[in-house]
Every structure is written in structure tokens, then in C-alpha cells.
Amino acid sequence: MNKIVSIFGGVAAALIACSAVAENAAGQTFVIPAQPLDQALAAFSVSTGLQMLYDSSLAAGRRSSPVSGAMQPREALVLMLAGTGLTARFTSAGAVVIYAGSTSAVTLNPITATAAPVVGRAGVSPEARAYAEAVQRQTVEALRQDAGLSGGDYALSVRLWVSDQGAARRVEVLRGSGDAGRDADFMALASGLRFPVPPPDLPQPMRIEFRVRRRH
């Protein structure tokens, strides 16, 4: 099994890829004890041959519930995630995407920044949406570290392309913040980031909106 974890600016995105051949789902037996969630997800990937895609910050500090017995992989994963506040979505491509929920707001000090990833066409895969969320979180973390970009009230929409290796290949402002200098600083910051390796079916460019608000 290969485990690739990319960590940038305090934000980690993990892609666990397993080459094991999945067993017959109808008769598969699971013996995965309660443990740190990232380890449990890795064990699940080994057992099923399924690819797991998630932001590793979701697994931090969480523990899995034990899974034991013969069951379908979906049932096993539901049991494993019980009590974690996370949910899973199986895809037709043999992957599982782990989600925290429907919101993607990140609270920063002394601001709150919310980024809503929108990938530019209908019918986008869950893996692509999960990847866009990971890109959003990493960019927000970089914003938090920049006093100039985290010090005002504004919204900014961008189009972002990434290379096959995860480097920010191109950034364009779709709707500016009203301050050309701030827009240029944001583009410079985003252009210097390196993200996890994208899934092969990622529609590009990603369109992401950032809203930054002071906390009063």
C-alpha cells in the first residue's frame, strides 16, 4: 500500500491508494479494532482495495468504532465512522470520499474566512469536490498567515488551475475585492502554493470564492 500525505502550511491532505484486489463483498470479513481514525481508514483500504480520499485534518483527533464480522464494505465503513461526525460516499470509480458535512467555513483569528469550492461543470465527481475543498482549506490557512490579506472585509473569486504534480499552474481573478493591490497579493500567494496531487478526473479550472470578515 502507498500512503501519500502532503502537508503545506499546517494543512494536510491525504490520499491513500491501495493495490490490493477487493475480496468478494458479499462474504468479506472485517476485523478492524477501534483506533486512531487515519489508521482505521488505512486498514479499511487494505481490506477492500478501495481508494480513500480525504483531508487528513478530518481524521486528526478522531477514533474509529470497532468493526468485526462479515458484511458489505459500505456497512463496515458506516460502523467505523459511527460517532465521528464524518460521512462517506462511494464512487463508481472504486474510491471513497470522506466528508465532514455540507459547510466549509474556517474560523481564523481575528477573522472568519469562508470559501465555497465550485468546480466548473455539472456532474462533477465527489473526488473532485473533495479535492477542491482541500485546496480551499490550504489556501485559507495560507491567508491566515498573511497579515495583509487577513486584515480586512472583502470577497474575492478566483479561477485556479493545478498541475499534475499539484503546483498552482495559473490563477485568475474572476471578481476582485475592490482593491487591485490586495488582489495582486492574493494571486501571488495562491500562485506559490503547492497542493496535493489532483485526481485524474479533476475539471479545471476550479472556481473558488473566498469571503474574509473581521470578527467583532
Side-chain angles (χ1 to χ4, degrees), residues 3-8 10-16 37-38 41 52-62 86 98 130 134 137 196:
K3 181 176 181 181
I4 305 169
V5 179
S6 301
I7 301 176
F8 301 96
V11 173
L15 175 63
I16 298 179
L37 184 57
D38 58 345
L41 291 173
M52 312 296 290
L53 180 63
Y54 64 99
D55 182 332
S56 65
S57 65
L58 297 179
R62 287 185 166 97
L86 303 179
I98 306 296
R137 289 176 180 273

Side-chain angles (χ1 to χ4, degrees), residues 77-170:
L77 192 54
V78 167
L79 291 174
M80 180 182 295
L81 295 176
T84 65
L86 303 179
T87 57
R89 182 172 182 177
F90 286 71
T91 77
S92 60
V96 182
V97 182
I98 306 296
Y99 291 99
S102 60
T103 61
S104 57
V106 181
T107 301
L108 309 179
N109 186 18
I111 63 172
T112 297
T114 302
V118 181
V119 185
R121 70 172 183 241
V124 65
S125 70
E127 294 98 324
R129 291 192 180 279
Y131 183 81
E133 287 195 8
V135 168
Q136 164 250 302
R137 289 176 180 273
Q138 184 173 326
T139 307
V140 166
E141 177 65 15
L143 282 175
R144 186 180 71 83
Q145 304 296 329
D146 189 296
L149 290 172
S150 65
D153 297 335
Y154 65 94
L156 179 67
S157 295
V158 300
R159 292 195 298 178
L160 174 65
W161 290 258
V162 295
S163 72
D164 292 343
Q165 291 74 42
R169 180 165 53 87
R170 182 178 173 188

